[in-house]
Amino acid sequence: MNLEGKVAVVTGAGQGIGREISLFYAKHGANVVVGDLNLDSAEQVAREIEEIGSKGFAQKVDVSEKESAQGLIQAAIDHFGGIDILVNNAGITRDAMLHKMTEEQFEQVLDVHMKGTFLCMQAATVHMRQKQKGKIVNISSIAGKVGNMGQVNYAGAKAGIVGMTKAAAKELAKFQVNVNAVQPGFIDTDMTRAVPEKVRQLKIAEIPMQRVGEPLDIAKAVLFLSSDYSDYMTGNVLEVTGGRFM
Ligand code: NAP
């Protein structure tokens, strides 16, 4: 799966799954715009990309702000001459039971996941439509399929990303722009390290493969959906969960 000469933009790429996707892209020849709220961590990932031998450019972005999202895509045009691949990966959790969840917690999560995915897709597809080629991978979650206690906001947003993926896939198919989603299961990152050990063990017991996923497990699926090997796939949702909730 060679991405030589391709330009990828990855959101939330300063750590966790987004960082791994960026480094895996770089190992396969792509130049990467590393977008994150945290510029320091984005710059660190960009340096790691350069060490691999590809080009990396760090851009501070808040994907939930229109100008900021547009600036991220523009950075790919300005620094690398275009955009071939977009990964909407930036994410947050603001967990609370339904009866305790504040309007703010609900809106914050929808803003980053849904509005952020919308804004970045909108900005990127201006260029992809003109070029008549592009790959978009939206990071949903298995919580968007099965729900999760304390995550009405997050599960709703992640299910929403599936709907957005399919609608965009239908609109963009005639421009040879593929839009697919990945639903990770329980992956070892800061997001899941915040889960209490008892809950963590319960979750692992639900995984047929009997192990927590690694960010690289997700990066491999994302690479496939970004490569020519998935050219006839659009509007798909790949579950990468070790078999959990199949
Ligand atoms: P993570 O380690 O918390 O990383 C998320 C990254 O997104 C952070 O660098 C964060 O920056 C950045 N970010 C947050 N809000 C942003 C915004 N408004 N604009 C730009 N960047 C923003 O999480 P992760 O586990 O790697 O998760 C990555 C994606 O996978 C998320 O969409 C998540 O929902 C999804 N996912 C994860 C799992 C899992 O088990 N880990 C499972 C299913 C789905 P700051 O650190 O500065 O806030």
Side-chain angles (χ1 to χ4, degrees):
M1 290 188 216
N2 187 2
L3 297 186
E4 211 70 48
K6 303 278 186 200
V7 178
V9 174
V10 184
T11 72
Q15 62 178 59
I17 292 170
R19 170 180 172 272
E20 197 68 39
I21 293 168
S22 301
L23 298 180
F24 206 50
Y25 276 164
K27 282 178 190 150
H28 289 80
N31 298 326
V32 187
V33 175
V34 181
D36 204 284
L37 265 183
N38 183 335
L39 185 59
D40 288 344
S41 61
E43 284 175 343
Q44 173 57 32
V45 174
R47 280 193 290 275
E48 291 177 74
I49 286 170
E50 301 271 340
E51 280 163 22
I52 289 168
S54 286
K55 288 184 185 144
F57 180 79
Q59 172 89 3
K60 184 178 168 71
V61 65
D62 179 349
V63 293
S64 65
E65 298 288 339
K66 187 171 183 174
E67 278 184 19
S68 189
Q70 288 176 335
L72 177 69
I73 305 303
Q74 193 57 43
I77 313 299
D78 294 346
H79 291 272
F80 298 133
I83 172 169
D84 301 292
I85 300 163
L86 167 68
V87 184
N88 286 302
N89 166 81
I92 59 168
T93 51
R94 296 289 182 271
D95 296 356
M97 297 300 276
L98 175 60
H99 63 287
K100 288 188 178 163
M101 187 176 289
T102 63
E103 211 174 329
E104 192 186 9
Q105 287 172 319
F106 183 80
E107 284 176 354
Q108 280 177 343
V109 169
L110 261 75
D111 273 359
V112 175
H113 292 276
M114 284 195 73
K115 192 175 163 198
T117 297
F118 161 70
L119 290 172
C120 291
M121 283 204 296
Q122 195 175 51
T125 53
V126 170
H127 306 281
M128 291 176 173
R129 284 167 68 124
Q130 276 172 5
K131 199 171 181 181
Q132 300 263 312
K133 188 123 185 94
K135 300 274 188 182
I136 298 176
V137 184
N138 294 327
I139 306 299
S140 171
S141 166
I142 200 68
K145 175 183 171 183
V146 300
N148 217 0
M149 297 259 289
Q151 291 195 320
V152 162
N153 50 2
Y154 183 82
K158 290 305 200 184
I161 285 175
V162 171
M164 290 166 69
T165 298
K166 292 182 184 222
K170 285 185 174 170
E171 287 186 19
L172 294 162
K174 63 175 176 288
F175 300 103
Q176 286 75 55
V177 176
N178 308 58
V179 190
N180 292 292
V182 171
Q183 289 189 321
F186 196 69
I187 311 300
D188 189 24
T189 69
D190 280 2
M191 192 176 268
T192 47
R193 279 177 216 127
V195 171
E197 186 54 30
K198 204 174 149 191
V199 178
R200 188 182 170 85
Q201 289 309 324
L202 287 172
K203 290 193 186 277
I204 294 171
E206 292 171 346
I207 304 171
M209 287 189 183
Q210 297 182 333
R211 70 168 176 89
V212 172
E214 297 298 329
L216 186 58
D217 292 311
I218 306 305
K220 287 175 179 171
V222 172
L223 178 72
F224 167 66
L225 291 175
S226 318
S227 75
D228 294 349
Y229 285 82
S230 57
D231 272 353
Y232 199 54
M233 292 174 68
T234 200
N236 283 269
V237 183
L238 287 192
E239 296 177 15
V240 187
T241 62
R244 184 165 167 247
F245 301 138
M246 66 179 77

